Amino acid sequence: ETGVTQTPRHLVMGMTNKKSLKCEQHLGHNAMYWYKQSAKKPLELMFVYSLEERVENNSVPSRFSPECPNSSHLFLHLHTLQPEDSALYLCASSQERENSNEQFFGPGTRLTVL
Amino acid sequence: AQSVTQPDIHITVSEGASLELRCNYSYGATPYLFWYVQSPGQGLQLLLKYFSGDTLVQGIKGFEAEFKRSQSSFNLRKPSVHWSDAAEYFCAVGETGGFKTIFGAGTRLFVKA
């Protein structure tokens, strides 16, 4: 595997389900991100982890719970979601460096909440 | 506050024609600027970036962009569009020394034969 991978690619869940999204980066980066991409809205940054510590949490509802067990893996745990949470969830990684925050993106997980 | 504006929601060009996608930004310091492309069902791929130096930057797939500080713009250009360029294009501003990247709302490019 190369780059940034995400599983599953598609997920349909009910509002009472609990599921997790997984992201893995194979680039040796030390920062990882979760974004939400909804139709007709700009990309929304949800969480940032640097060296496995959360450094950004952009007022995301508690029904979204991130986990970063090591610098290569990032999870997004989902529970009691709402239909408006249906979106494409993108993971990205970058190498923390003074003059760059170029990010590399995974293909995304298309989430549908019924 | 930092912001990125892409004035065109969608653009249609003929194959072989030239392309310019507009991007304006608001940022207090010298920005890090990016253009990303997203094909349907895919993540974002970096086309090019500007950090400093030459204001005309070359990217992949024959794209280039010019940073104009006086106009707070970073427009993306391509001299001859191919049908495979049909996608959504995002301009972004990166936080200096930080992790936050602000994305524009995107411009969807349609290419007609």
Side-chain angles (χ1 to χ4, degrees):
Chain A
E1 292 280 12
T2 59
V4 181
T5 58
Q6 291 186 242
T7 54
R9 293 294 308 276
H10 300 271
L11 178 62
V12 179
M13 58 187 290
M15 289 190 284
T16 58
N17 292 157
K18 289 185 180 181
K19 296 287 185 184
S20 296
L21 309 185
K22 179 183 176 182
C23 175
E24 184 172 1
Q25 60 96 1
H26 310 268
L27 300 168
H29 290 163
N30 57 15
M32 296 186 77
Y33 309 72
W34 279 117
Y35 286 91
K36 177 183 179 182
Q37 187 177 32
S38 305
K40 302 188 191 324
K41 292 176 69 174
L43 217 57
E44 300 172 55
L45 178 65
M46 300 175 73
F47 302 105
V48 181
Y49 277 82
S50 172
L51 300 172
E52 299 147 47
E53 288 194 16
R54 193 188 309 179
V55 296
E56 285 280 348
N57 179 355
N58 277 2
S59 303
V60 179
S62 59
R63 56 186 184 269
F64 295 92
S65 175
E67 178 190 1
C68 187
N70 54 62
S71 60
S72 299
H73 294 86
L74 184 66
F75 295 89
L76 188 63
H77 303 299
L78 316 171
H79 63 97
T80 58
L81 294 192
Q82 304 298 312
E84 60 264 29
D85 297 322
S86 299
L88 183 68
Y89 288 85
L90 292 165
C91 174
S93 70
S94 70
Q95 181 62 26
E96 184 182 357
R97 197 182 308 155
E98 184 177 347
N99 294 318
S100 169
N101 54 1
E102 174 185 345
Q103 294 172 33
F104 293 78
F105 285 81
T109 295
R110 173 68 62 186
L111 174 66
T112 302
V113 181
L114 302 177
Chain B
Q2 302 163 30
S3 66
V4 178
T5 302
Q6 294 180 246
D8 304 303
I9 296 173
H10 53 81
I11 281 182
T12 301
V13 299
S14 298
E15 191 169 16
S18 64
L19 171 71
E20 182 169 30
L21 301 183
R22 296 182 291 163
C23 173
N24 292 98
Y25 66 89
S26 172
Y27 190 72
T30 300
Y32 298 147
L33 294 163
F34 307 87
W35 274 100
Y36 287 86
V37 61
Q38 185 179 32
S39 297
Q42 300 297 316
L44 279 66
Q45 180 185 21
L46 182 70
L47 284 176
L48 47 78
K49 60 192 177 189
Y50 171 79
F51 294 152
S52 65
D54 193 346
T55 56
L56 184 63
V57 293
Q58 303 297 320
I60 62 171
K61 305 184 182 186
F63 285 92
E64 66 177 28
E66 186 171 12
F67 170 58
K68 293 186 177 180
R69 184 188 302 275
S70 62
Q71 298 176 22
S72 297
S73 69
F74 189 57
N75 294 348
L76 182 72
R77 300 193 295 249
K78 186 170 184 177
S80 177
V81 168
H82 187 262
W83 63 267
S84 60
D85 294 323
E88 187 143 25
Y89 292 80
F90 294 91
C91 181
V93 172
E95 185 179 57
T96 308
F99 295 96
K100 193 169 290 187
T101 299
I102 308 298
F103 287 82
T107 297
R108 181 162 295 278
L109 173 65
F110 297 94
V111 180
K112 60 181 180 180

